[in-house]
Amino acid sequence: MSIRPILIHPDPRLKKVCPPVPAVTDEIRQLADDMLATMYDAPGVGLAAPQVGVLTRLFVMDCIKDEDAAPRPMVLINPEITWRSDEQHTYEEGCLSIPEHYAEVTRPARVRMRWTGLDAQTHEEEFDGLWATCAQHELDHLDGRLFIDHLGPMKRQLITRKMTKLKRERARA
Ligand code: K2U
Ligand code: ZN
C-alpha cells in the first residue's frame, strides 16, 4: 500500500474520458488499495483513478464521517448511474485536485448505481446524502469533468487562474 501523488488542476489528464477497466487484476487491486490509502491520508471522502494519474474507470469512496462508526471503504469499477431522483440537492463541494476552493454544486439528491466490485461481481445500490454527492463527483472525474465545470465561466476561470499560479509557486519551491 502506498500513498500516491494527487494531480492538481489544470492537468490534461484530469480532462480525459477514462476507458473501462478490462478485468479485475492484481494490478487493479493494488491501485484500489493505494487509492484508499491516499484518500484517507488526504483526507477525503472519495478519490478517482485519474486523480492519481491512472486513466481508468475506477473510484473509491468512504463517506462515513463519524469517527466512532466503522469505516465503509467502497471500490467501484466501471460504475454507472442507472437512476437519478428528480429531487436536487445543493452541496458545497471541494476537490483534492483543486485544493482550498469550494463552491455550491446542485445534483440529484439520490442516485442508483451499478458497478463491478473487487470480487468481480456486479453490485447495485441507491445512494443519498453525501454518498450521492460524492459518487456523482467521482463519476464526473471518470468523464474528465471537475466540479468547477458545473460553475459559471467567470468563477471557473478565476479558480483555474489561481490554481495555475499555485502550481507555478509550488514548482519554484
Ligand atoms: O474527488 C475528490 O476530489 C474527492 C473529494 C470528493 C467530494 C467532493 C465534494 C463532495 C463530496 C465528495 C474529497 O473528498 S474533498 C473533501 C471534501 C468533502 C466534502 C466537501 C468538501 C470537500
Ligand atoms: Zn474531485
Side-chain angles (χ1 to χ4, degrees):
M1 170 201 79
S2 54
I3 308 292
R4 299 194 186 198
I6 296 175
L7 300 184
I8 300 299
H9 169 74
D11 186 306
R13 290 166 289 181
L14 293 172
K15 303 303 288 171
K16 295 270 191 280
V17 175
C18 298
V21 173
V24 181
T25 60
D26 286 347
E27 187 184 357
I28 288 293
R29 287 190 182 86
Q30 184 61 62
L31 171 64
D33 197 42
D34 290 354
M35 286 175 60
L36 282 166
T38 303
M39 178 191 76
Y40 287 123
D41 176 71
V45 296
L47 188 68
Q51 291 183 275
V52 292
V54 182
L55 300 189
T56 195
R57 299 189 78 81
L58 183 159
F59 69 76
V60 298
M61 64 178 176
D62 181 352
C63 298
I64 301 288
K65 300 188 87 167
D66 174 358
E67 285 170 14
D68 298 332
R72 190 194 173 194
M74 295 191 76
V75 177
L76 289 81
I77 298 167
N78 300 332
E80 50 193 2
I81 294 178
T82 56
W83 172 84
R84 292 174 175 83
S85 64
D86 292 335
E87 183 194 358
Q88 303 285 300
H89 181 178
T90 299
Y91 194 92
E92 188 173 51
E93 299 194 13
C95 182
L96 295 176
S97 296
I98 309 178
E100 295 163 31
H101 289 81
Y102 302 91
E104 288 197 340
V105 177
T106 300
R107 301 180 189 268
R110 293 183 312 287
V111 289
R112 187 159 185 74
M113 295 191 77
R114 179 167 51 224
W115 70 93
T116 300
L118 287 180
D119 57 5
Q121 299 302 303
T122 300
H123 298 256
E124 270 206 82
E125 187 169 334
E126 185 175 315
F127 296 108
D128 65 2
L130 181 57
W131 288 95
T133 297
C134 182
Q136 294 175 84
H137 177 109
E138 302 311 333
L139 192 56
D140 268 357
H141 274 298
L142 305 187
D143 291 324
R145 256 191 317 272
L146 302 171
F147 81 90
I148 57 171
D149 294 321
H150 294 273
L151 309 181
M154 297 302 288
K155 179 94 189 237
R156 179 166 56 249
Q157 287 162 25
L158 176 69
I159 291 174
T160 299
R161 271 202 296 273
K162 288 168 81 175
M163 295 309 302
T164 302
K165 184 169 177 284
L166 172 80
K167 287 183 78 169
R168 240 195 333 263
E169 286 162 358
R170 283 188 177 179
R172 281 201 207 102

